[in-house]
Amino acid sequence: YLNTPNRLRPYGAHGEIGEWLPPDANVLVHDSSLHLGINARSVQDQWQGRISYAELLSPAAIQRELASLKVTHLMWEPGASTQWNCLGHDLAFWNFVDNYAVGRRMSGHLALATMPEQPLPEVVNDRVAMLTCGAPYPAGWYRLRQLRVPPLGGPAPPSEGPVTDLVAAVDQDAGFLVVDPACAPKLPDEIKTRFHPAASRGPLQIYVRSQPPEYKVDPSR
């Protein structure tokens, strides 16, 4: 083990992130309660009753909510969901960090970025094209706010109709795609330029539309 990189650094990726953070940092720890080693104050959105990205919805509203909690940095695991929170929670959060988080850098499986300071969009394309095998939601069009866990034993919300034109959905209609590869049709090649790479939520692959250049706050990404 003598040649193992960073073998004397405690706390792994959290410890390295702690070395990057300034003394006055306040870190949003996303989808996890683990923060030991970052050596900074933190706010976690896992087991709490205040932050609901699916309700906040827009990048500007999420930005204001986190700023009110004095959050300066964001820490999360890209491309993966623990599924502790609802699908809408994941979609709205990934839209925020994939499109607007500043200066992302990776330590192991964790990403660290800075909160955006410039004004963000007050609206978001909240149309979700669901291409599933029938669960957890039947295939069709939904609005992001609908995608909250229904009461135990309760029905899923009704869709707004079937996704009849997948090319149009990818090209311009959908803000998000939720795809179960086991039964979804082949996705158009345009998805590579229109959407961020897929993130996983159990068997589902989640795609978030990439925002146009005028909204990019971190062109180096």
Side-chain angles (χ1 to χ4, degrees), residues 22-47:
D24 59 348
N26 188 21
V27 183
L28 177 79
V29 180
H30 175 66
D31 226 3
S32 174
S33 60
L34 300 178
H35 63 162
L36 185 64
I38 65 173
N39 195 33
R41 292 184 301 153
S42 66
V43 174
Q44 62 102 353
D45 61 14
Q46 178 67 284
W47 298 308

Side-chain angles (χ1 to χ4, degrees), residues 44-67:
Q44 62 102 353
D45 61 14
Q46 178 67 284
W47 298 308
Q48 45 82 41
R50 172 166 174 170
I51 302 170
S52 172
Y53 302 116
E55 286 292 335
L56 292 165
L57 196 62
S58 77
I62 294 173
Q63 181 187 37
R64 285 192 293 270
E65 176 73 350
L66 297 182

Side-chain angles (χ1 to χ4, degrees), residues 151-221:
L152 291 176
S159 74
E160 295 184 343
V163 181
T164 57
D165 189 339
L166 185 54
V167 172
V170 169
D171 186 51
Q172 60 185 2
D173 294 341
F176 306 88
L177 297 176
V178 178
V179 178
D180 188 335
C183 57
K186 183 181 183 299
L187 298 177
D189 291 338
E190 289 82 0
I191 197 168
K192 297 174 184 177
T193 57
R194 300 283 196 271
F195 287 79
H196 290 283
S200 298
R201 180 183 167 95
L204 303 178
Q205 296 294 300
I206 311 298
Y207 296 85
V208 175
R209 184 172 293 279
S210 180
Q211 295 304 306
E214 60 264 31
Y215 289 132
K216 292 291 186 184
V217 298
D218 187 14
S220 65
R221 275 182 48 204

Side-chain angles (χ1 to χ4, degrees), residues 52-203:
S52 172
Y53 302 116
E55 286 292 335
L56 292 165
L57 196 62
S58 77
I62 294 173
Q63 181 187 37
R64 285 192 293 270
E65 176 73 350
L66 297 182
S68 73
L69 294 170
K70 310 300 183 185
V71 169
T72 62
H73 293 75
L74 311 161
M75 185 177 77
W76 75 102
E77 182 176 351
S81 168
T82 63
Q83 304 182 67
W84 277 99
N85 291 294
C86 67
L87 176 56
H89 182 96
D90 278 347
L91 297 182
F93 177 81
W94 282 332
N95 179 55
F96 183 74
V97 295
D98 282 349
N99 283 308
Y100 307 108
V102 178
R104 180 191 301 199
R105 50 194 304 199
M106 295 294 300
S107 176
H109 64 294
L110 295 175
L112 179 74
T114 303
M115 273 281 289
E117 295 183 355
Q118 73 180 57
L120 299 185
E122 294 284 354
V123 296
V124 63
N125 179 358
D126 68 340
R127 298 194 74 202
V128 182
M130 193 81 66
L131 307 172
T132 67
C133 303
Y137 297 94
W141 284 105
Y142 293 83
R143 297 290 177 174
L144 192 149
R145 273 203 182 96
Q146 292 179 277
L147 304 181
R148 292 171 292 185
V149 177
L152 291 176
S159 74
E160 295 184 343
V163 181
T164 57
D165 189 339
L166 185 54
V167 172
V170 169
D171 186 51
Q172 60 185 2
D173 294 341
F176 306 88
L177 297 176
V178 178
V179 178
D180 188 335
C183 57
K186 183 181 183 299
L187 298 177
D189 291 338
E190 289 82 0
I191 197 168
K192 297 174 184 177
T193 57
R194 300 283 196 271
F195 287 79
H196 290 283
S200 298
R201 180 183 167 95

